[in-house]
Amino acid sequence: MLDVAILGLGTVGSGVLEVIEKNSDAISQSAAQEIRVKHILARRDYPGAPYEKLVTKDFSVIENDPDVRVVVETIGGIDAAYEYTKRSLLKGKSVVTANKELVATHGYELMQLARENGVNYLFEASVGGGIPIIRPLSQCLAANKIKEIYGILNGTTNYILTEMIKNGLSFETALKDAQEKGYAEANPDADVKGFDVCRKICILSALSFGRHVYPHQVKTEGIESVTLADIGFAGKLGCRVKLLGRAIHREDGKIAVYVAPHLVHDDNLIASVEGVMNGIIVRGNAIGDVMFYGAGAGKLPTASAVVADVIDAAKHISARKWLSWEDGADEIIYDSALLENSWYVRTTAKKEEIAAGFGDVQLIEGEGEKIFVTPSMNRYDLEDKLGGMSVSAAFRILQ
Ligand code: HSE
């Protein structure tokens, strides 16, 4: 029997409880022992709930219970989650989490702490919701040098963009829908402004390239600037608008990482990733391109990945899983604005102004606006050529 404590009973925490109850036979079989939830840390009481008696408001009850070998941290955010994770690891308990903010900010330090205390810090659910990606990257693709990793890493924004594309829904209605379905973060700004993708691409970069990438090192744009007009024009160009996180390992050893809306060509598999689904492409030097696809958010898909880590922690209770990377540094980061590609530009500028900056580019005319596609160039050159033009949108185009 393995005793587990769950910290936090929000969407993911309650999903973990549900999955452990619902699939107890299969879980016990995989873990080769029964997994029992012994404590739940929550801010309020749950009178009448079947787990009422497991609930405590005092973390030290969990910290000081030697039976608890695995702690599931589903509090989210940094403050309490960081403190309780450290205290659990120091007490020789493995910690399993879906908390991408904590892993992206303190992952290196927490993995070190886990190693020093002979336990594991596992976070499969932190990226891609229910999609297996952390384990495949750290184990199955370990024979490759990863050259690039990119994809749709946020279910909420992909849901919003898909609803805008397919059903012409407004941004606000689609966001409300995503919130009601339990996809969005507690503060949906983290989804809409791209911070959630930023945290996830930091984790994927660290796993792929072996050095911690911190969120403040990643240029991050969200989807607030995307309008129905852009979605319509993108369609005319054979593309779809997608929010991508992208990380490239350059030949010189530096890492370029950024988050931004892109026009993705219909031929790219990522273009057909719709709704709450996430899609991640990993480019390895031996395997070529591999794509991971599945439910990127939601209670049970995320809980599925958390519980898989609990099982793994149970099976490795006195062994360490190989999961680590080195600390990061500003010197290893390449300025992503120097990456070159074609750009989609929507502007109210006159034809002559556009021609002066970009030559003979083909123009599509909308209501008082024009759109055009630039030749391949970096962001600085683009801004230089745009000069004083009034620009409503400028997005990278991914073939
Ligand atoms: N808010 C996140 C999303 C949840 O929409 O993808 C999963 O990380």
Side-chain angles (χ1 to χ4, degrees):
M1 161 101 72
L2 182 99
D3 282 333
V4 170
I6 300 176
L7 313 184
L9 208 50
T11 306
V12 181
S14 57
V16 169
L17 197 59
E18 190 177 328
V19 169
I20 290 179
E21 271 167 23
K22 193 153 103 182
N23 296 345
S24 65
D25 290 352
I27 291 168
S28 303
Q29 201 179 0
S30 295
Q33 59 197 305
E34 192 186 332
I35 304 275
R36 181 179 71 164
V37 177
K38 189 168 179 196
H39 306 285
I40 298 169
L41 183 75
R43 266 187 292 207
R44 65 176 183 89
D45 298 319
Y46 288 83
Y51 47 83
E52 178 185 0
K53 292 205 160 51
L54 308 183
V55 174
T56 174
K57 295 191 180 83
D58 181 3
F59 175 70
S60 62
V61 171
I62 294 165
E63 184 179 27
N64 296 318
D65 183 343
D67 292 344
V68 173
R69 307 294 302 277
V70 178
V71 171
V72 177
E73 184 272 297
T74 55
I75 300 172
I78 302 273
D79 306 336
Y82 182 41
E83 184 194 332
Y84 296 160
T85 298
K86 282 198 289 191
R87 282 166 62 180
S88 301
L89 294 172
L90 284 166
K91 283 281 186 178
K93 301 175 196 303
S94 287
V95 176
V96 166
T97 190
N99 189 337
K100 51 256 165 176
E101 188 175 0
L102 187 57
V103 179
T105 314
H106 294 292
Y108 169 70
E109 174 197 343
L110 293 170
M111 282 188 293
Q112 292 281 98
L113 198 58
R115 183 188 300 173
E116 283 159 22
N117 288 279
V119 289
N120 290 298
Y121 183 51
L122 303 177
F123 40 87
E124 181 63 64
S126 63
V127 182
I131 307 173
I133 179 70
I134 303 294
R135 221 169 250 93
L137 265 182
S138 60
Q139 294 178 1
C140 316
L141 297 175
N144 285 263
K145 276 191 180 160
I146 307 292
K147 298 198 284 189
E148 179 169 349
I149 182 158
Y150 71 93
I152 294 171
L153 298 169
N154 183 268
T156 301
T157 45
N158 202 44
Y159 181 86
I160 293 171
L161 291 172
T162 306
E163 287 299 311
M164 287 168 80
I165 296 168
K166 294 194 113 176
N167 302 323
L169 240 62
S170 74
F171 178 91
E172 291 73 21
T173 313
L175 172 61
K176 197 159 164 277
D177 237 28
Q179 284 175 303
E180 279 166 14
K181 291 191 159 95
Y183 303 149
E185 295 298 300
N187 176 358
D189 268 4
D191 298 297
V192 169
K193 293 183 192 291
F195 306 143
D196 180 71
V197 177
C198 167
R199 291 159 189 157
K200 290 167 176 169
I201 198 69
C202 285
I203 298 171
L204 294 180
S205 303
L207 268 174
S208 304
F209 311 138
R211 300 288 300 267
H212 197 114
V213 174
Y214 290 92
H216 72 266
Q217 296 175 310
V218 179
K219 283 206 170 84
T220 300
E221 281 172 62
I223 62 164
E224 290 157 305
S225 57
V226 179
T227 63
L228 282 171
D230 294 318
I231 281 167
F233 285 131
K236 287 188 183 163
L237 293 168
C239 295
R240 277 173 249 188
V241 182
K242 296 288 182 192
L243 179 65
L244 300 184
R246 191 167 177 220
I248 297 165
H249 201 203
R250 289 166 42 85
E251 292 291 330
D252 61 11
K254 291 197 173 190
I255 303 171
V257 196
Y258 69 95
V259 178
H262 287 66
L263 261 65
V264 181
H265 210 268
D266 281 339
D267 295 344
N268 187 317
L269 281 175
I270 285 289
S272 49
V273 174
E274 296 189 328
V276 72
M277 294 294 162
N278 283 191
I280 304 160
I281 292 191
V282 181
R283 185 163 296 159
N285 69 342
I287 195 164
D289 281 7
V290 196
M291 177 159 169
F292 297 85
Y293 171 85
K299 182 173 170 174
L300 295 185
T302 309
S304 144
V306 174
V307 177
D309 272 349
V310 171
I311 295 170
D312 214 3
K315 285 162 96 171
H316 292 88
I317 210 73
S318 46
R320 291 210 62 253
K321 293 279 300 170
W322 185 89
L323 192 59
S324 72
W325 53 70
E326 298 296 315
D327 200 3
D330 283 341
E331 302 82 76
I332 61 162
I333 302 294
Y334 182 80
D335 180 3
S336 61
L338 288 168
L339 296 174
E340 295 189 359
N341 48 244
S342 306
W343 296 80
Y344 157 95
V345 178
R346 177 161 56 85
T347 173
T348 51
K350 295 200 176 72
K351 282 182 188 171
E352 300 71 37
E353 283 180 278
I354 298 170
F358 296 92
D360 188 19
V361 285
Q362 203 182 342
L363 299 179
I364 301 179
E365 305 217 26
E367 284 168 24
E369 291 186 308
K370 297 171 194 69
I371 67 141
F372 62 93
V373 173
T374 73
S376 188
M377 64 185 68
N378 71 39
R379 181 158 209 131
Y380 297 117
D381 289 342
L382 175 78
E383 283 168 3
D384 217 33
K385 287 177 188 298
L386 288 173
M389 281 185 223
S390 139
V391 175
S392 316
F395 302 138
R396 291 179 187 270
I397 302 182
L398 194 77
Q399 289 303 317

